[in-house]
Amino acid sequence: MSQYPRYAIYFVPAADSVLYRFGASLIGYDAYAGQPLAFAPNIESEVDGWARFTGDPRKYGFHATLKAPIALAANRTEGDLISAMAAFARTPRAIPVITPTVRSISSFIAVVPDPPCEALQAFARDCVTAFDGFRAPLTAADRERRNASVLSGRQIAHLDRWGYPYVMDDFRFHMTLAGSLPADRLESVTAILRDRFAALNLETIAIDRLALLRQDGATTRFTIVHHWPLTPARA
């Protein structure tokens, strides 16, 4: 059984940004307020079953994972993690900037970079390593839940070292808009979401923030505990 509370380190756009309002209203949850949101206008009539398809993303809020959910090590506190993240955010660094697109990944749909961004890959690696000392060891149940039979050898090594398989060279930045869809619905729903995203006219997105989220129990949603702007390196 997973340990609670769990903490996650995510990129979450600023609460008042066009991007955040777009994503949060699609999935129907505001992680800043910890409150449900009305779905974006007409999405339920355009996509039959929309509430069902966004049930999983709603648990996490609109985000991109930088360090996947963890339980804290026995000698660490939430305050310790907040202090470490604040110091990390204050450290000057190159701010990754992506060109976003909406694409299906396996059976779900997300905002992803196109082309890939090496600065973002490096930033994600830094987040995984910088905060790993806060992570409690995986329980046997958590490891089994990852279904190692479908992972590559490298991903199993990541799971055992970092507690999560999709890190380092296997990291793929994505901001989920819809969870698992049937194969025969994937293309049409992707087209609808791509058109909605195009209307925002977001040619680039700066990955310039860091957020700490907490989940208090298996049936509760992640909420934002604290968030920080990143400090850009001087030119």
Side-chain angles (χ1 to χ4, degrees), residues 113-127:
D114 185 22
C117 174
E118 180 50 41
L120 178 53
Q121 295 294 114
F123 175 57
R125 288 194 293 271
D126 287 349
C127 289

Side-chain angles (χ1 to χ4, degrees), residues 70-110:
I70 61 170
L72 290 182
N75 63 338
R76 298 289 194 167
T77 68
E78 180 180 301
D80 294 335
L81 183 53
I82 288 172
S83 295
M85 290 183 65
F88 183 91
R90 287 194 300 268
T91 302
R93 68 186 67 250
I95 303 299
V97 177
I98 66 169
T99 302
T101 190
V102 171
R103 182 175 296 162
S104 61
I105 305 173
S106 185
S107 63
F108 63 94
I109 303 168

